[in-house]
Structures are given as structure tokens and as C-alpha cells.
Amino acid sequence: MPSVCEAQRMLIDGELVESVSGQWLVSIDPATEEPIGRVPAGNAADVELAVRAAERAWPAWAALAPLARAEAMNRFADGIAARAEEILRIEVRDTGNTIRPMRRIDVPSAVQSLRYYAGLAADLRGDSIPSSDGHLHFTVHEPYGVVVRIAPFNHPLMFAVARTAAALAAGNAVIVKPPETSPLSAMVLAQIARETLPPGVFNIVTGEGREVGEALVRHPAVKRIAFIGSTQTGRAIQRAAAETGVKHVTLELGGKNPMIVFPDCDPERIAEAAIAGMNFSWQGQSCGSLSRLLVHEDIHDRVLEALLERVRALRLGDPMSESTDVGPVNSAAHRQRILEHCANARADGARCLVGGGPPEGEAFARGYWVAPTVFADVTPDMRLWQQEVFGPVLAVSRWRDVEQVVELANASEYGLTAAIWSHDIDAALRMAQRVRSGHLWINGSSMHFLGVPFGGMKSSGVGREEGREELLSYTETKTINIILS
């Protein structure tokens, strides 16, 4: 079997193990459709072992002095940084994401987040409350215990690490469920965690979502669950969790995010920002992608012309090449979903100006390819306006006045991100107040900043990640009242 890595093992209780079932999942290179490695096909029995290990491990981990936890987390970060190039190459082949931006973002973000939350561990403080005379009232923050993180396929390692750092800093033990279509980098992570963290504090169980994910969400010992993925799956997790216990579930879900462009903007700069905002380097496979471009009618045609020129110039090809701009999408099933969205857009009357299907050429005969796509004249009654594609498909529309564009921007069940472009800061801020999205940029596109909260409104999720609020979300508040005589 041609492979980036041979058969790997998941991490339970500090040991690298196969599944109880002895079964395996094969991972496929989305650029070539070749098998590149395999991981254990975990099941409910493996989940039970992982939960028991985490239950045993978290009290001692939480009892450590915060700086001792921070030291261990920094060792974990050091281990990841030392194997950054190896992880990068595995993840590029396993996801199809292009290597150039991944080198800059994914592993560095994981390492930075570990160090950031390690630094906050000693600052997890409660409050004293002067509620009554002669008594003392104060709060402390205690970990939930066993925390589950279900990671998506677009940035598997980054989300497995960066989005568990807060849980570790707060004193929890973690169980990570990697995506079944891109699990290989998590197997390297298992080796690093085994060498740097106490047994049971960080566990990884691979397998299908309907088996491993379901068992983790329903386990009565798991009270804290965090998920990044589709709104449909997020709702299923809420239902399943509620059926087995009272649980704290945070969800970062889909988006159909607007980029609102005022007429005082430079069309060339807007075209560049729209390309960046669509995350074509990840093939548009990002919940925060600015997939609805709403341009004022005065500059609409000029923006569209500049945009099409840039989209046509994007280079598709081997994601391992430094010169590639766009790689394949993650899987055959996902490619089919994206192509169905394009067919629906045409049927609804949107104009496909570029792309809309597989790219031409022998080089793309194998692999899960979708050409970068732009549809124009997209309106709120069309499915492309309402449904998240999670692929390289940009919908463009025009607007005339502020009231109209506010209505257009909010005409979706989603509310994750939005971007507002204008040289008039008052107009931009007033627009930001009216757009129902949880994370907005003014004169920027699709950037994340360390320590700045990220999350959505409406059907785009609940809870916030990436800041102090995330750290607190992995704790329960205990109130202590001292009755003085």
C-alpha cells in the first residue's frame, strides 16, 4: 500500500492501541484516490475504555498546580512543533488542502493555542461577592472532568489541538474523535501526546461518526461536548446528548456568510479580498468562508470582472506543490454534494460565470476535483443563497440601498461570520450592528486572531471559542458561602 504512514494506532490511557474489533479504516488521498494509510475502526467498546481512562486521569491532572499543567502543555506544544514538517505533509495528502497556507496556519495555530491557554491556566480565578453583612461569598471554577472534542475534516490537527487546549488548561481530560476521512495526522498527535502528557489526559479514538461519535456523545460520564461541523450534525448531537443526560454542548456550525461591499471601495482590492475570503486554498471548505458577495450596484460589474479574472488564474493541481492555489475537495461523497449544489443553482436561475463542475484535463481524471466557481445574479429565493455548500462556490449579488443589503445579509438561517468593506467607518460600524453574525471583519476577510472569541449566531452555533470565554466554558462554577458567627 503506498502510504504516508503505515497502519497507525489510536491513544487510550497512554497506550497506542488497535480497536477492540480489530477492524481498520483506510484513508484516501483526495488528489489521487490512492490509499495512503489506515487507522483503527473504533467502536463503542473503545469509547468505553477511553472514557474510563479519562475518568481516572482528570482528578490528578486537575489537582496539579496550574503552572505544572502549563509545563506539560508546553512540552506537548514543543513535541508538535518538532514534528511540524512531518505533520504538514501527512495532512496535505490526507485532506487535499494546499501546502503553502497550511505551513503558515495549521501547525503554528495549534502550537500557539497550547501556549496561550497554558499561560492562562494560572489565571482561572473566581469572584468574591459582597452579598450580605458578616458573611463571605466566593466562587471557584472546577473542570467538568471528561471532555469530548469532535473534529472536522478541513483542519483535523489544528482543531484537535487548538480546540482542546482550553479544556486541558482548565484541568479536564480530553477525548478527541478525528474525522474519518482525514484521520492520519491525529495518529502522529497520539504519539506526541503519549510522550508529553500523563496517561489518560489526552485520548484519541478513531472511527465512523455514527459509531464512535454517537457513543461519545451519549456516554453518561461525558458532560461537556464540543463540535465543529454541519448544522445538521450539530442538531443531531444536541438531540443525542439530551437523551442520555444534562450536558454542556458547544457547536461551531455552518455558515452562508456575507461580504458586504460599499460603493466607495476599490474593485481590484475587493476582488482580492473576495478570493481570500472564500478560502479557495481550502477549496472553500471552511464554515467561515465569505460565500455570498453582496456588491453595491455602482461597482458591481467592475468587481465581478476583476473577480473572474482572478478566479480563472487560480492554479489547480497537486496540493503538495508550493505553486498550487487550489487542491481537491476532501472526499468523493463531498464532491458529489458540491456538484449537486451547482446543478441546483443553475436550475434556480443563477448564472454560472466560471467553474461549476470538474476541471478539464487529463491531470484531473483521478481525484476529487471541483473547479473554483462563481455564480452571479443569486437571489434569496435560490437554494445557493440559503444552503451552505462548503466548497469552492461563490454566490454574487448586487444591492442598491442600506436597508436592502441588511435584509439580504440576514436572509439566511446562518449567522457565523460577515465582512463589511467601506472607507466610511461610521457606515461600516452601523452595518456591523445590524448584521446578525457572531464574528465580523471590517475591511478584512476570514482572519482569526489569538485570544479573540469566535462563534456564530442563529443556526451557526452556540458558544465561543479561541478566547478567555472558551477557557471558562470548560469549567463549572461552584459557589461557597461562609457563614461567619
Side-chain angles (χ1 to χ4, degrees), residues 287-360:
C287 52
S289 293
L290 298 169
S291 55
R292 287 186 294 146
L293 179 59
L294 311 182
V295 186
H296 191 274
E297 62 182 12
D298 288 354
I299 61 170
H300 173 274
D301 292 351
R302 285 179 290 159
V303 168
L304 192 57
E305 180 182 0
L307 174 67
L308 292 174
E309 179 182 353
R310 285 164 172 77
V311 170
R312 292 186 178 110
L314 292 172
R315 292 162 295 189
L316 278 76
D318 180 3
M320 293 292 290
S321 170
E322 297 284 349
S323 64
T324 296
D325 297 313
V326 183
V329 299
N330 189 259
S331 67
H334 190 51
R335 176 183 59 180
Q336 183 58 37
R337 287 192 292 270
I338 295 170
L339 295 178
E340 288 172 1
H341 280 291
C342 292
N344 290 340
R346 289 189 179 94
D348 290 345
R351 286 193 298 136
C352 184
L353 301 181
V354 63
E360 297 179 356

Side-chain angles (χ1 to χ4, degrees), residues 81 129 188 214 262 300 329 370 378 418 436 480:
I129 306 163
V188 179
E214 182 87 0
F262 279 74
H300 173 274
V329 299
V370 178
V378 184
R436 293 289 294 166
I480 299 173

